Amino acid sequence: MKRIGLLTSGGDCQALNAAMRGVVKGLSNNVEKLEVYGFLNGYKGLIYGDYRLLTSADFSGILTKGGTILGSSRQPFKLMRVPDENGLDKVEAMKHTYHKLNLNCLVILGGNGTQKTANLLREEGLNIIHLPKTIDNDIYGTDVTFGFQSAINIATDAIDCIHTTAASHNRVFIVEVMGHKVGWLTLYAGVAGGADIILLPEIPYDTEKVVEAITRRTKAGKGFTILAVAEGAISKEDAALSKKEYKEKLAKTKYPSVSYEIAEKINKITGIEVRVTVPGHTQRGGSPCPYDRTLCTRLGSAAAQAIMDEDYGYMIGLVNGKTKRIPLAEVAGKLKTVDPNGQMIKEAKRTGISFGD
Ligand code: F6P
């Protein structure tokens, strides 16, 4: 008999359901009796005892379904130790729900913040398995997170669509790709979509260099230029500000996002009109791509095996193509960022892509 809890927390992504299905199928085919409790809307459900006893029917037909059947919400890690508006101790409340249901294990699907809370619950003595989700691909210790590949496909499609219209009109276009802290998605979609300039949070840009890259193309007879810009792209001047100063600057800005500021800077120097396209949350939506479905079935099944082995306290990641149990204590709180001197950046630069540096 196994009693497990499931929850999905933080921003959603495409293959959350596929991963939960992998866990439940992996267990139900191999243990005599299984009870699965689904906590609704992330940690909220665990804190306030909002859950549903799930049946095998809940996991049928969800391999291809985007979003999460459990709902999700953002519950910042830094507020977990802060009592709620009614003075409730959230950590004690989560432990209470877990013990009340007499769970063997809690499977938590989420990104960096979610992982930190998962580790906190582990430190508090709960049996935890974490599965690494995020379109940002910024979870340390796994080669890849689920959602990333599906989001690359969507962001690349957006760039592809812009390509044809940019070419017809001889225009400069910015496609803003999700990722405030890291640029993996922008890097992969930018390269896959044939962007000419890619701006990432990890490589502060110099506006002059961006303009130079556009001018170089114009002189070479290329009428259009496409920039793939991460939500968190930052100029060299802004990168020199303290975190506090930069936050204050962003709070006062008139631009809806960084891309509009970059567009205006380019326009001021060159006189060229720059169009901005923001695919936004479409990048987290829709059906998971086949890669993510496969990845999540593998990660879910590997999680089921860890539960059957009663081996807890891990993120189940992918390392060199193999599923692996990675101690949460080793990875929680660490971010996997793009290395500005890494091989992929060098390879992209060799093909003529400018990173504005
Ligand atoms: O962490 C995933 C992510 O989609 C980021 O790429 C993006 O910056 C952020 O979430 C958007 O958050 P929200 O859905 O809360 O607007």
Side-chain angles (χ1 to χ4, degrees):
M1 166 72 172
K2 290 274 177 223
R3 295 161 72 90
I4 68 154
L6 284 177
L7 71 83
T8 54
S9 168
D12 73 340
C13 71
Q14 289 89 349
L16 285 160
N17 291 326
M20 290 192 277
R21 173 184 173 275
V23 176
V24 172
K25 281 197 180 279
L27 284 171
S28 60
N29 279 306
N30 294 285
V31 300
E32 224 150 78
K33 198 163 175 335
L34 176 69
E35 274 180 14
V36 181
Y37 292 86
F39 295 98
L40 307 183
N41 304 316
Y43 285 115
K44 243 190 205 169
L46 189 62
I47 297 169
Y48 299 106
D50 193 11
Y51 57 83
R52 253 185 343 112
L53 183 57
L54 303 170
T55 68
S56 59
D58 289 299
F59 297 94
S60 279
I62 63 166
L63 177 63
T64 59
K65 195 172 168 183
T68 159
I69 56 166
L70 297 179
S72 191
S73 67
R74 290 197 188 275
Q75 302 293 316
F77 170 71
K78 62 178 181 213
L79 297 181
M80 279 300 179
R81 292 279 185 198
V82 179
D84 78 356
E85 57 281 12
N86 298 314
L88 181 79
D89 181 325
K90 294 173 204 154
V91 176
E92 285 308 314
M94 289 193 279
K95 284 162 64 180
H96 174 77
T97 309
Y98 177 97
H99 291 303
K100 190 182 83 180
L101 293 174
N102 200 14
L103 298 180
N104 295 105
C105 169
L106 184 60
V107 181
I108 298 175
L109 295 83
N112 279 298
T114 301
Q115 189 190 57
K116 282 196 260 180
T117 300
N119 190 45
L120 181 157
L121 293 175
R122 179 196 63 82
E123 287 166 350
E124 290 287 327
L126 306 193
N127 294 332
I128 303 292
I129 293 289
H130 168 246
L131 293 176
K133 104 33 275 205
T134 169
I135 64 165
D136 295 341
N137 195 35
D138 58 356
I139 297 184
Y140 190 84
T142 182
D143 294 348
V144 70
T145 59
F146 57 90
F148 178 51
Q149 191 65 53
S150 300
I152 291 174
N153 293 357
I154 296 169
T156 304
D157 274 350
I159 299 173
D160 287 349
C161 290
I162 289 300
H163 233 121
T164 56
T165 173
S168 310
H169 287 270
N170 286 325
R171 276 176 170 160
V172 173
F173 265 97
I174 292 178
V175 180
E176 185 174 287
V177 180
M178 271 192 163
H180 271 118
K181 291 188 183 149
V182 302
W184 291 109
L185 184 53
T186 311
L187 176 61
Y188 275 76
V191 170
D196 310 295
I197 300 168
I198 298 178
L199 303 182
L200 309 177
E202 292 92 338
I203 308 179
Y205 69 86
D206 176 340
T207 310
E208 291 296 331
K209 293 276 169 59
V210 172
V211 167
E212 262 172 46
I214 297 171
T215 313
R216 238 191 341 266
R217 278 181 61 80
T218 313
K219 282 191 180 147
K222 313 258 169 108
F224 71 95
T225 297
I226 293 181
L227 293 87
V229 171
E231 283 177 315
I234 187 164
S235 66
K236 280 199 191 313
E237 306 85 71
D238 286 347
L241 299 175
S242 69
K243 242 185 174 177
K244 189 170 167 253
E245 286 168 332
Y246 186 53
K247 263 195 174 165
E248 281 166 6
K249 186 201 149 172
L250 287 182
K252 281 191 229 139
T253 187
K254 62 174 177 168
Y255 306 104
S257 67
V258 291
S259 296
Y260 292 88
E261 183 179 357
I262 295 169
E264 193 172 292
K265 283 180 185 168
I266 296 171
N267 175 261
K268 271 200 178 137
I269 301 174
T270 62
I272 299 170
E273 207 179 319
V274 182
R275 294 278 202 267
V276 176
T277 292
V278 184
H281 287 78
T282 62
Q283 292 163 96
R284 291 209 318 235
S287 185
C289 68
Y291 177 89
D292 276 336
R293 296 178 201 177
T294 312
L295 173 66
C296 284
T297 304
R298 291 186 66 192
L299 295 179
S301 171
Q305 188 57 56
I307 295 167
M308 289 188 283
D309 295 343
E310 297 180 2
D311 195 17
Y312 305 115
Y314 298 100
M315 165 177 79
I316 309 294
L318 196 74
V319 178
N320 296 326
K322 292 198 167 140
T323 57
K324 192 174 172 189
R325 298 174 193 174
I326 301 141
L328 271 171
E330 283 177 16
V331 292
K334 293 186 187 166
L335 202 66
K336 185 179 74 183
T337 55
V338 175
D339 174 4
N341 300 308
Q343 198 179 44
M344 186 160 171
I345 299 289
K346 286 184 182 149
E347 287 158 353
K349 282 186 174 172
R350 203 175 296 131
T351 67
I353 295 173
S354 165
F355 287 84
D357 60 338

